[in-house]
């Protein structure tokens, strides 16, 4: 291993995409804080780009939790913010199918004040992933304006407009790389990946599958397929997955419920690190 200047392992952290299920990243961040461990590099895609940027900026897992609960605890406040994102012109409602939000404006309204302006202002090196729509390939960001890169990474098709960057149109990074642990191994001793994609779950009521469930469920299946193929080639040292459930991609108003269900991941993360410490005789993995 190549421990850092303080004798601790060099940890790489990959935070994957999964919409509102991505709130489950928070207990994992809190577990690292509990152990006094900070990643030396973070990679994030889609919702993982938001939490990766927040954590890389120096916010603790607990601080990120409080921000999320503050934003989504008041339904009326959320609706008020969404009202600010409405199309400015009536004609835009009918211009090209269903209304899509501008992801850069969404970030401005909800979380921009909590993030620095540029990658260079972050405390931890960060790589964010988006997808070149016409180029059909992954696009990585590691420098320059931060919010534009986050906006591109979260631009889920059908919900958000693509982000124009130079001559490219960028969409959600989860389309090509939903769990971006690749690339971390070169600079890290230990790679931790948090997979929050999930899979379609039948409704208890037995209701028919609606259009949105079909759309987002299909995305889950595709992203799981990509991740499973990646895991056949290489694997992170620790892979964390929250329990599968019926949380939908936009269920952010259920933040408290999602966090409560994901709370076990805090202990799971620490247990996995302790097991890794015993297996490798790396006692500095565990706080004393």
């Amino acid at each position: 291993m190549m421990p850092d200047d303080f004798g601790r392992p060099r940890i790489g952290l990959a935070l994957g995409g999964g919409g509102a299920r991505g709130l489950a990243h928070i207990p994992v961040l809190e577990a690292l804080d509990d152990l006094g461990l900070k990643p030396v590099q973070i990679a994030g895609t889609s919702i993982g780009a938001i939490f990766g940027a927040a954590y890389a900026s120096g916010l603790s897992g607990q601080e990120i939790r409080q921000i999320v609960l503050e934003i989504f605890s008041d339904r009326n406040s959320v609706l008020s913010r969404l009202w600010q994102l409405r199309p400015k012109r009536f004609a835009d409602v009918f211009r090209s199918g269903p209304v899509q939000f501008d992801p850069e404006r969404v970030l401005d309204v909800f979380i921009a004040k909590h993030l620095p302006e540029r990658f260079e202002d972050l405390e931890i090196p960060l790589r964010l992933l988006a997808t070149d729509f016409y180029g059909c390939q992954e696009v990585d960001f590691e420098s320059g304006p931060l919010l534009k890169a986050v906006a591109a990474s979260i631009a889920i098709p059908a919900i958000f407009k693509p982000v124009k960057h130079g001559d490219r149109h960028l969409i959600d990074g989860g389309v090509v790389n939903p769990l971006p642990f690749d690339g971390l191994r070169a600079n890290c001793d230990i790679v931790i990946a948090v997979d929050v994609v999930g899979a379609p779950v039948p409704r208890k009521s037995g209701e028919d599958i609606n259009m949105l469930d079909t759309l987002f469920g299909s995305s889950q299946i595709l992203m799981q397929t990509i991740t499973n193929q990646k895991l056949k080639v290489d694997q992170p040292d620790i892979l964390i997955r929250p329990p599968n459930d019926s949380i939908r991609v936009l269920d952010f108003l259920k933040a408290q419920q999602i966090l409560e269900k994901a709370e076990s991941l805090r202990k799971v993360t620490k247990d996995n690190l302790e097991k890794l410490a015993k297996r490798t005789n790396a006692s500095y993995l565990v706080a004393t």
Side-chain angles (χ1 to χ4, degrees):
M1 287 191 176
M2 303 176 295
D4 65 15
D5 294 339
F6 299 97
R8 296 171 300 204
R10 297 174 64 82
I11 294 176
L13 179 64
L15 302 178
R21 284 175 55 83
L23 299 181
H25 288 311
I26 293 174
V28 177
L29 303 179
E30 291 173 325
L32 294 176
D33 291 340
D34 291 343
L35 297 174
L37 298 173
K38 280 290 184 184
V40 298
Q41 188 174 358
I42 300 174
T45 194
S46 201
I47 189 69
I50 293 177
F51 289 116
Y55 200 55
S57 74
L59 292 171
S60 69
Q62 179 63 30
E63 288 171 329
I64 295 171
R65 178 187 289 261
Q66 292 304 316
I67 291 170
V68 166
L69 292 177
E70 177 186 329
I71 291 173
F72 295 109
S73 61
D74 186 343
R75 182 184 182 87
N76 289 332
S77 175
V78 173
L79 292 176
S80 175
R81 296 187 194 211
L82 289 174
W83 178 250
Q84 298 177 47
L85 301 172
R86 71 193 186 280
K88 297 301 182 183
R89 298 183 304 163
F90 185 73
D92 290 341
V93 176
F94 303 99
R95 189 175 61 179
S96 57
V99 175
Q100 293 175 294
F101 294 107
D102 180 339
E104 293 185 75
R105 289 187 61 208
V106 170
L107 294 176
D108 283 338
V109 169
F110 281 93
I111 64 165
K113 69 178 182 180
H114 300 291
L115 298 176
E117 292 185 3
R118 300 183 64 81
F119 279 83
E120 290 78 6
D121 300 321
L122 297 170
E123 295 185 6
I124 300 173
L126 176 68
R127 176 169 60 97
L128 299 184
L129 284 67
T131 302
D132 183 340
F133 183 75
Y134 291 112
C136 303
Q137 62 183 352
E138 178 181 314
V139 177
D140 294 357
F141 292 94
E142 298 182 88
S143 62
L146 179 62
L147 288 178
K148 195 172 190 70
V150 175
S153 190
I154 68 169
I156 300 173
I159 297 176
F160 295 117
K161 297 176 181 177
V163 172
K164 188 75 181 301
H165 187 269
D167 60 353
R168 296 184 294 195
H169 294 78
L170 304 179
I171 61 172
D172 184 8
V175 172
V176 291
N177 196 344
L179 190 61
F181 61 87
D182 45 312
L184 291 174
R185 182 73 63 189
N187 192 43
C188 303
D189 307 311
I190 296 169
V191 175
I192 303 172
V194 190
D195 178 8
V196 295
V197 168
V201 174
R203 303 296 172 190
K204 292 181 180 180
S205 62
E207 63 190 45
D208 291 336
I209 304 174
N210 62 36
M211 182 186 71
L212 286 179
D213 279 347
T214 301
L215 177 63
F216 297 125
S218 298
S219 296
Q220 286 177 303
I221 294 169
L222 289 170
M223 288 191 287
Q224 286 284 18
T225 300
I226 293 171
T227 296
N228 289 337
Q229 289 300 312
K230 286 181 59 179
L231 292 172
K232 291 178 181 179
V233 177
D234 187 21
Q235 294 192 358
D237 297 289
I238 296 175
L239 177 59
I240 305 293
R241 282 174 164 150
N244 208 15
D245 56 34
S246 59
I247 293 296
R248 290 181 167 101
V249 69
L250 296 178
D251 277 346
F252 289 98
L253 287 173
K254 297 180 180 179
Q256 182 67 53
Q257 176 186 334
I258 296 169
L259 288 169
E260 288 174 359
K261 285 186 175 182
E263 188 57 35
S264 62
L265 299 185
R266 192 168 184 166
K267 183 176 186 300
V268 167
T269 302
K270 290 191 281 189
D271 287 348
N272 273 277
L273 282 165
E274 289 176 356
K275 290 176 183 177
L276 185 61
K278 292 177 181 177
R279 192 165 67 244
T280 61
N281 294 319
S283 59
Y284 45 73
L285 272 176
V286 183
T288 57

